[in-house]
Amino acid sequence: MENTYTVKPTPIPKFVSASDLLEGKRLYQSRGCGDCHDVDGSGKTFINDPAIGTISGANLTAGKGGILLDRSDEELAIAIRHGVGKNGRALIFMPSTDFQGMTNEDVGKLIAYLRSSPAVNKEQGEIKPGPLGRFLFVIGEIPIWVSAEQINHEVTHLENLKPTVSLEYGKYVAATCTGCHGMKLVGGPIQGAPPEWPPAQNITKVGLSHYNEVSFIQSIRTGKRPDGSEIRFPMPWQSLAILTDIELKALWLYLQSI
């Protein structure tokens, strides 16, 4: 957890138009950033368990206690996609494996939205891995503690990717799901989750065999399965409901291919 990493910065495009900032906001919401950094970007404590530990998301605003004024766009992109903070330090419990493939354009719009958001004065919450959390990390059960260990820091990032109903774009969207459903999307216990959380579902074509495209999209939009039962927490269907029709159709197409 004390490791440092050297990541070559990638130039990040700047965005200022209202439509681009709105898209940045949609990316923030639909990719689940608010789950750890709160709806206003000010950060919150999202795990508080004596055994697992106490983990809080950073304040991403320009307010007192926030990091925004002290980071360049390129440094923020490294944090998002590589799980590496200022001075090369590994970020604890930053799920960068979900975001390592984000294009420069999407990262730029996300950062532009953060810079346009109101400043919130709020000090960083505590980050303190507990004894069980440390043990599970050592035996490889919670690799997300240091996602920087799992990422290729030499990768060349795509400049952009046109939204299409295609396997390529579906795989791009599905990266958002890997933090809970695993890199192979077969589900199981969620990394670092309290014991009362249910395991993540298998969302490959085997696990989704009782869905079709229409019912899959409807379930994401409404939080209800085809049989009428409610999708339980911690499945963030409210965030995923903001995904576009193209994103959801591409996601369905990709999930049906694995």
Side-chain angles (χ1 to χ4, degrees), residues 5-8 78 81-84 100 147-157:
Y5 299 82
T6 300
V7 182
K8 184 179 179 180
I78 288 172
R81 297 192 290 200
H82 294 266
V84 176
Q100 58 186 317
S147 63
E149 282 194 332
Q150 316 297 317
I151 290 170
N152 176 10
H153 300 296
E154 303 297 324
V155 69
T156 299
H157 296 287

Side-chain angles (χ1 to χ4, degrees), residues 1 130-143 145 149:
M1 296 183 188
L132 179 58
R134 289 178 179 274
F135 172 73
L136 292 173
F137 171 67
V138 167
I139 65 172
E141 292 297 318
I142 312 183
W145 279 116
E149 282 194 332

Side-chain angles (χ1 to χ4, degrees), residues 43-227:
K44 66 179 181 180
T45 297
F46 57 92
I47 294 179
N48 190 9
D49 182 277
I52 298 295
T54 301
I55 309 295
S56 306
N59 181 342
L60 302 179
T61 78
K64 183 178 180 181
I67 67 167
L68 204 61
L69 296 180
D70 193 38
R71 303 291 192 280
S72 68
D73 288 1
E74 287 67 30
E75 288 173 326
L76 290 170
I78 288 172
I80 293 167
R81 297 192 290 200
H82 294 266
V84 176
K86 207 167 180 66
N87 301 320
R89 63 184 179 84
L91 298 179
I92 303 300
F93 222 97
M94 171 62 189
S96 292
T97 46
D98 287 19
F99 311 121
Q100 58 186 317
M102 283 189 81
T103 64
N104 293 335
E105 184 175 304
D106 279 352
V107 169
K109 290 176 181 178
L110 174 58
I111 292 172
Y113 162 67
L114 292 174
R115 293 204 184 280
S116 73
S117 299
V120 179
N121 296 326
K122 187 177 181 181
E123 294 299 326
Q124 166 76 53
E126 188 175 27
I127 300 178
K128 185 179 180 181
L132 179 58
R134 289 178 179 274
F135 172 73
L136 292 173
F137 171 67
V138 167
I139 65 172
E141 292 297 318
I142 312 183
I144 199 174
W145 279 116
V146 184
S147 63
E149 282 194 332
Q150 316 297 317
I151 290 170
N152 176 10
H153 300 296
E154 303 297 324
V155 69
T156 299
H157 296 287
L158 291 175
E159 190 61 35
N160 54 54
L161 185 62
K162 184 179 179 180
T164 57
V165 181
S166 63
L167 288 175
E168 181 186 24
Y169 194 65
K171 183 177 182 179
Y172 181 73
V173 177
T176 306
C177 311
T178 58
C180 292
H181 294 274
M183 298 305 293
K184 295 183 179 180
L185 301 177
V186 295
I190 299 171
Q191 291 186 50
E196 64 269 19
W197 283 23
Q201 183 179 336
N202 181 336
I203 56 172
T204 68
K205 62 182 178 182
V206 174
L208 296 177
S209 60
H210 53 298
Y211 287 83
N212 57 36
E213 183 190 78
V214 172
S215 62
F216 172 76
I217 293 175
Q218 186 176 27
S219 294
I220 296 296
R221 295 274 194 232
T222 65
K224 291 187 177 182
R225 299 183 182 88
D227 64 4

